[in-house]
Structures are given as C-alpha cells and as structure tokens.
Amino acid sequence: MRRVIVTSPSTAKRVLGLGVAATEIDVIEPGTDPAPLATGSGPGPIRLLCVGTLTPRKGHLLLIDALTGLRDLDWRLTCAGSLERSPDTTVALRRRIDVAGFNGRVRLLGEVPHREMAALYDSADLFVLPSLFEGYGMAYAEALARGLPVLGSRAGAIPDTVPEDAGLLVEPGSTIALAAALEHLMKDADLRARLAAGARRARTRLPTWEDRACRFAEALADV
C-alpha cells in the first residue's frame, strides 16, 4: 500500500507494528457534529446512557455485572444501539438483566433515530461505555460534544479521544474497577460536574467533518 489512513494515534501504533513505515501513515480522526449541551435529568434517578451496538467488544455484560452490586443506588440505564449485530450477545444481556432483576431499570432500545438519540443525550447525567477496544470511539466524542462526563476504559484509542479531565477510564474488562468508578461517579455530584466542565472544554477541540474531509482529500492528493 502507498498510504494508510487511520482514525487515531493508537491505531497508527498498531499499524506500525504490522511493518508499515511511519511516513506512509496519516492519522485523521473522524469529525463530530456540533450539538447542544445536555441539560441532564434533574431530580430523581441518575440517568446513565450507553451508546453502542450490542457486541461483545462494547462491554454491555460487564456494565450489567458492575451495576449488580450497586442496586441500592438510584439509577436508570438506557442502552441505544443495534440488537442485531450479535444475537448471542443480545440474548445473554437480556438474560443477565432478568437475573439481576433490572427489567424496570435497564432499557435496551435498539437502533434509535437521530432526533430521539439527541433527546437521550440531552437527558443523560453520565455517559458510560466499557468497550474492550476502540479504533477511535465516536460515541465518546458525541458525548463530549454534549458536555457529558464519561466513564470508559483505557482500551485502544479511548484515551486518545477522552481527555483525563473529562472522564474516568478504568482497566478494560475489570468489573471491579468499573463498579468502583460507577459508584464514585453516582455518589459524587461534584466529580460529575468537574468532568462535565472538562467535557465542555474538550468539545471545543473536536474536529469537524468539513475539516476531516479536507484532511482526507489532502492525503489522497499526496498519493
């Protein structure tokens, strides 16, 4: 190949490991649509929002397991993302939710139209997605664009996407670490507010699609 275009510095390192020369790699992160700041849920349960297709890599089963030990806290979880990509994962997740007794606290919405998705982001208090790997992490960027505090993992490109002052990133695949971070964030409103402030700062640095298209065109012109 004469040129390789990747979506993050983390992915660039993985491609370097395949023997591609650094001079043949361009890093062009995806753009993010501008969005209004989330207003939050107000009084009542803490609203957790998870956005991602139900596949093993996204860590939904880890999330339910982590929440099992936090049933005494007042929270609700909404999961938006295709239920069709990995039917086995969807079946296992529904079973796990049922066994935990969370049918009234966890919603699996499947794919959600754009307007309804915007409303879900707006009413959320915390974005959580414990992915086991991401080549970039567009859902994290969308959460930052709305000024939401983020809980994720230190997997793949997520640390490239989520600044330290905008979210907590835990060990990938660790239910214990995820549960501890969830408990900390749900109990500490000041921490959520500080991370939300970091997300609002980060949103101003998110690249636009127009800029990314120009960068992509430049890379192709070089070839």
Side-chain angles (χ1 to χ4, degrees):
M1 295 184 187
R2 296 169 61 188
R3 181 74 66 177
V4 177
I5 298 175
V6 298
T7 54
S8 67
S10 173
T11 302
K13 292 177 182 177
R14 295 176 70 89
V15 173
L16 280 170
L18 299 175
V20 179
T23 54
E24 297 173 352
I25 301 173
D26 285 308
V27 177
I28 305 178
E29 296 92 343
T32 302
D33 291 326
L37 291 171
T39 57
S41 64
I46 294 174
R47 299 286 176 178
L48 311 176
L49 177 63
C50 181
V51 179
T53 57
L54 266 65
T55 56
R57 179 171 61 86
K58 295 295 184 178
H60 291 84
L61 291 169
L62 286 169
L63 179 55
I64 297 303
D65 287 345
L67 288 168
T68 299
L70 303 174
R71 62 179 67 251
D72 292 338
L73 299 180
D74 196 9
W75 54 265
R76 299 293 185 274
L77 170 65
T78 297
C79 298
S82 174
L83 307 177
E84 310 300 328
R85 299 286 183 87
S86 175
D88 289 346
T89 301
T90 299
V91 169
L93 186 64
R94 290 190 188 280
R95 185 180 300 117
R96 196 77 56 91
I97 291 168
D98 184 57
V99 169
F102 287 163
N103 287 309
R105 303 178 76 175
V106 178
R107 294 191 299 162
L108 304 181
L109 300 184
E111 293 185 2
V112 176
H114 179 74
R115 181 175 297 180
E116 293 178 26
M117 194 70 246
L120 291 177
Y121 274 115
D122 183 61
S123 62
D125 300 306
L126 175 65
F127 179 86
V128 54
L129 181 62
S131 291
L132 302 177
F133 178 80
E134 292 286 350
Y136 174 65
M138 293 184 66
Y140 300 93
E142 290 173 357
L144 294 175
R146 291 163 173 80
L148 283 173
V150 171
L151 173 56
S153 65
R154 294 187 295 273
I158 300 172
D160 295 334
T161 307
V162 180
E164 290 184 0
D165 63 346
L168 295 184
L169 302 182
V170 301
E171 185 68 22
S174 173
T175 303
I176 294 174
L178 182 61
L182 276 167
E183 182 176 19
H184 192 186
L185 283 162
M186 286 195 280
K187 288 183 174 180
D188 192 339
D190 289 339
L191 174 59
R192 294 199 305 275
R194 291 196 299 273
L195 295 178
R200 290 194 295 272
R201 290 189 292 269
R203 78 196 289 261
T204 65
R205 303 190 296 269
L206 292 170
T208 65
W209 283 112
E210 181 178 10
D211 173 69
R212 299 296 92 181
C214 290
R215 287 280 308 279
F216 205 100
E218 291 169 359
L220 295 180
D222 287 343
V223 176

